[in-house]
Amino acid sequence: MTSSRMRLEAPDLNSRRARLADWIELQALTSARRSASTALIRSEVRRQADGRARASDIDADADDTGEAEITERLADDLEERLSEELAFRLKTVGEAYPFELATTQGGRSQMVKLRDTWSNTASGELAYVFCLLDSGIREGLITCPPSARPLVNAIGNVFQICSCVAVGGYTNAEVVSFGFPRATGTAFLPALQQAWARYGSYDILTHIPFGFDDKLKDGGVDIIAWRHFADRFAATLIMFVQVASGLDWKEKEVAGDVRTLKNWFAGSSIEHFLPAICIPFPLWFDLDEPAVDADGNKTAFSNGVQTRFVYREKKFGVIFDRGRIAYFWARAMAAQAARILPHPVDGIDRIAEVGTWVNEVLSNLAEVRASS
């Protein structure tokens, strides 16, 4: 019988470490005890090995050693990767990371415990949890029946809110939510006119010229953000952002869309700008394990992460991945609470929608786990 509820699925053991870590975090998030041990991966190794002809089928580097030893070696390797990944997340996300880590009594495993403050909208943890659930759905760690389609369809709109708040926290800029569908329901051209009226300089066409695309939704631009000077004139820092909640984000660099957008200006248009992208995954979620160096020793995985940011910058510009979104969500909320947020940030008045979506997904998952 097909389940009518969302369900948490175990990952393939050949998955990259970021996906395995997401699975452990999701286990902690949905568990009645609000915790999970990295030792779960050891149980999964044994379970999947029992279902195959040979344990070496899930160990690409297996030799002729006995099957039990191969299985144990694989479990050791996966748990070590998991522990490194979780520690790295805690270090880089800081107080916006919704989990606590503790070494278990035997000293072999890490216990991942959901913080009591995770749903506090001020901390950034809620944004992390949303991105984790988004990633889980996109990567198949959470299976969704047809009845969950409304929740899946809402992901883009909710992630737009998270992204706007994070961009505001990072830039201290005025943030316009331009992505479609817009909360105002405004069509493309009127929305563009309104955005530049807020900016205070440049003129937008008054009508759609014959030959232009008259069915545009957002032209590939989801957020426009700028820092005003006291004179409110042009020649400012300005950022154009693509918000990409799905696995096709690598095809969504915004710079080309901004060049096309300039066709809609009457006369002069923006010349210099910062391109940016927001994604719900850790940027390194598709990064393979490190290669060996000239001496045959493995290079540090964190070196590959650092290089990945350098590499992706060339195409996307400023990158807001899961950890950065959570961290700067917290910055924006702190500034708002202190009444020092310098400019309006679209979406900051809609953060309750993020909590509502997260709670609906967790409720759906909890009912499945309770009945399992």
Side-chain angles (χ1 to χ4, degrees):
M1 180 181 295
T2 302
S3 173
S4 61
R5 298 286 181 180
M6 291 179 163
R7 187 174 294 276
L8 187 57
E9 302 288 348
D12 186 294
L13 295 176
N14 292 314
S15 299
R16 296 174 176 92
R17 66 169 66 192
R19 188 166 187 259
L20 297 176
D22 279 1
W23 178 63
I24 293 295
E25 290 178 348
L26 287 166
Q27 291 281 353
L29 182 63
T30 58
S31 166
R33 293 179 297 176
R34 291 293 193 252
S35 63
S37 170
T38 57
L40 282 172
I41 201 67
R42 311 186 76 87
S43 300
E44 193 58 29
V45 169
R46 289 191 290 270
R47 187 188 71 81
Q48 293 194 27
D50 288 344
R52 297 169 187 246
R54 298 180 301 120
S56 55
D57 290 344
I58 52 176
D59 185 357
D61 298 321
D63 51 26
D64 295 329
T65 313
E67 291 295 306
E69 186 173 339
I70 292 172
T71 300
E72 190 65 16
R73 186 178 64 191
L74 175 62
D76 288 343
D77 181 53
L78 290 178
E79 190 164 10
E80 181 182 358
R81 294 182 201 174
L82 267 175
S83 296
E84 287 180 355
E85 173 71 13
L86 292 166
F88 185 76
R89 294 182 181 196
L90 176 60
K91 176 182 177 181
T92 55
V93 183
E95 290 301 315
Y97 188 57
F99 302 98
E100 297 174 348
L101 303 181
T103 303
T104 58
Q105 188 172 6
R108 187 179 197 177
S109 303
Q110 290 287 316
M111 183 62 68
V112 181
K113 185 175 185 291
L114 185 67
R115 289 178 173 174
D116 293 336
T117 56
W118 74 268
S119 60
N120 183 347
T121 57
S123 68
E125 297 167 80
L126 178 63
Y128 187 99
V129 169
F130 168 81
C131 291
L132 174 62
L133 291 169
D134 178 349
S135 301
I137 291 171
R138 301 305 194 188
E139 289 212 278
L141 290 173
I142 299 172
T143 57
C144 300
S147 60
R149 182 53 50 187
L151 284 171
V152 177
N153 290 342
I155 287 176
N157 288 339
V158 181
F159 189 46
Q160 178 82 8
I161 296 171
C162 296
S163 300
C164 283
V165 175
V167 168
Y170 180 67
T171 61
N172 284 329
E174 181 159 352
V175 177
V176 174
S177 180
F178 193 71
F180 186 88
R182 283 172 279 276
T184 60
T186 310
F188 174 78
L189 184 57
L192 194 63
Q193 292 167 339
Q194 291 169 13
W196 293 103
R198 284 173 64 170
Y199 183 78
S201 294
Y202 302 105
D203 295 318
I204 302 298
L205 297 174
T206 57
H207 66 281
I208 302 176
F210 180 63
F212 272 39
D213 187 349
D214 59 359
K215 299 295 190 298
L216 277 181
K217 296 178 178 180
D218 52 34
V221 174
D222 293 308
I223 297 172
I224 307 171
W226 59 83
R227 286 279 297 274
H228 289 289
F229 283 98
D231 53 34
R232 308 285 291 194
F233 297 151
T236 67
L237 178 153
I238 186 164
M239 178 183 285
F240 292 88
V241 188
Q242 168 66 232
V243 176
S245 65
L247 293 174
D248 59 346
W249 66 273
K250 293 177 188 176
E251 308 304 320
K252 293 189 173 183
E253 69 272 24
V254 79
D257 293 316
V258 175
R259 286 190 286 271
T260 301
L261 195 71
K262 291 181 181 182
N263 290 320
W264 294 84
F265 285 71
S268 298
S269 64
I270 290 288
E271 183 65 28
H272 300 287
F273 62 90
L274 284 172
I277 191 169
C278 294
I279 60 173
F281 318 97
L283 184 66
W284 59 94
F285 80 103
D286 59 351
L287 184 62
D288 290 324
E289 289 304 310
V292 296
D293 60 21
D295 297 321
N297 300 312
K298 283 186 176 180
T299 59
F301 189 80
S302 59
N303 291 344
V305 172
Q306 183 178 28
T307 301
R308 177 55 56 91
F309 276 91
V310 171
Y311 178 79
R312 294 293 186 202
E313 183 275 338
K314 299 183 188 310
K315 183 174 184 179
F316 298 105
V318 181
I319 298 171
F320 296 87
D321 71 344
R322 182 192 302 170
R324 291 178 170 188
I325 286 171
Y327 185 88
F328 284 103
W329 164 299
R331 284 287 186 91
M333 298 309 298
Q336 185 194 48
R339 298 186 179 181
I340 57 173
L341 197 65
H343 304 295
V345 174
D346 286 0
I348 204 165
D349 59 340
R350 298 175 57 200
I351 57 174
E353 296 177 37
V354 181
T356 297
W357 185 92
V358 166
N359 287 330
E360 287 183 10
V361 171
L362 292 181
S363 176
N364 197 299
L365 283 167
E367 290 185 32
V368 171
R369 293 176 71 86
S371 62
S372 296

